[in-house]
């Protein structure tokens, strides 16, 4: 889910990668596509996955849906942005026969306290160890991923490009 920097960053990546000749699939909530216009970009396929912000019992259905989408996209690389998308994506790629490489971009640090903080640390550890590459938008995120066992963690500043006005889709 995004209404700002992460979505703008993903849109810029999609635009740059398609311009370089790559086929791109973007998976996310319908509102994200409406806000950023991913499906309006030439060479980008957008598929809806209504990913909420909290971990819950509905996650199994999200994994099944994303598995179906990834099978139809047949990607070589899956790139998830953020803690929540990363968790669903890691759980999904682990179930695929042909496992694409998994790249995780972290834009923020998990900040839960108490029991929630303990669960978030366990998920962070699972993500750090499960991703083939962790990209951190700040050096503290890279250091944290390495502390939690990331095999490859790198700093890649994700300065959001200028936000564009996306034309409304014709009905």
């Amino acid at each position: 889910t995004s209404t700002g920097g992460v979505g703008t960053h993903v849109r810029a990546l999609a635009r740059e990668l398609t311009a370089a000749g790559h086929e791109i699939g973007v998976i996310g909530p319908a509102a994200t596509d409406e806000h950023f216009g991913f499906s309006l970009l030439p060479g980008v396929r957008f598929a809806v996955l209504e990913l909420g912000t909290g971990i819950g019992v509905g996650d199994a259905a999200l994994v099944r849906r994303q598995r179906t989408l990834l099978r139809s996209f047949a990607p070589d690389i899956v790139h998830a942005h953020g803690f929540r998308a990363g968790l669903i994506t890691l759980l999904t790629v682990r179930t695929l026969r042909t496992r694409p490489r998994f790249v995780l971009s972290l834009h923020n640090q998990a900040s839960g306290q108490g029991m929630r903080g303990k669960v978030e640390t366990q998920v962070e550890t699972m993500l750090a160890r499960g991703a083939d590459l962790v990209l951190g938008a700040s050096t503290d995120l890279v250091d944290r991923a390495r502390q939690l066992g990331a095999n490859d963690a790198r700093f890649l500043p994700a300065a959001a490009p200028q936000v564009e006005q996306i034309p409304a889709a014709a009905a």
Side-chain angles (χ1 to χ4, degrees), residues 46-139:
F46 185 86
V48 174
L49 182 68
E50 294 299 343
L51 185 68
T53 57
I55 297 170
V57 295
D59 286 0
L62 291 172
V63 169
R64 286 191 300 276
R65 168 82 172 131
Q66 189 176 46
R67 182 175 48 233
T68 299
L69 294 171
L70 289 179
R71 284 181 179 154
S72 74
F73 285 178
D76 296 322
I77 300 170
V78 176
H79 185 174
H81 286 258
F83 184 81
R84 180 77 176 117
L87 174 60
I88 296 300
T89 301
L90 177 61
L91 295 173
T92 301
V93 298
R94 285 182 170 177
T95 68
L96 297 172
R97 285 188 194 147
T98 304
R99 185 187 185 275
R101 292 185 47 87
F102 173 44
V103 177
L104 172 66
S105 283
L106 296 174
H107 296 264
N108 302 298
Q109 185 171 342
S111 58
Q113 303 294 317
M115 181 57 81
R116 180 183 173 118
K118 289 179 183 180
V119 170
E120 287 179 354
T121 298
Q122 289 175 335
V123 172
E124 280 183 300
T125 301
M126 191 170 72
L127 289 170
R129 294 177 181 172
D132 296 297
L133 172 62
V134 177
L135 300 172
S138 61
T139 56

Side-chain angles (χ1 to χ4, degrees), residues 7-61:
T8 302
H9 178 69
V10 172
R11 190 173 199 283
L13 286 174
R15 191 176 47 245
E16 291 171 21
L17 290 169
T18 56
H22 298 282
E23 294 178 30
I24 302 298
V26 176
I27 299 171
T32 303
D33 185 36
E34 291 167 13
H35 188 79
F36 293 101
F38 295 114
S39 58
L40 300 175
L41 293 172
V44 174
R45 290 174 50 199
F46 185 86
V48 174
L49 182 68
E50 294 299 343
L51 185 68
T53 57
I55 297 170
V57 295
D59 286 0

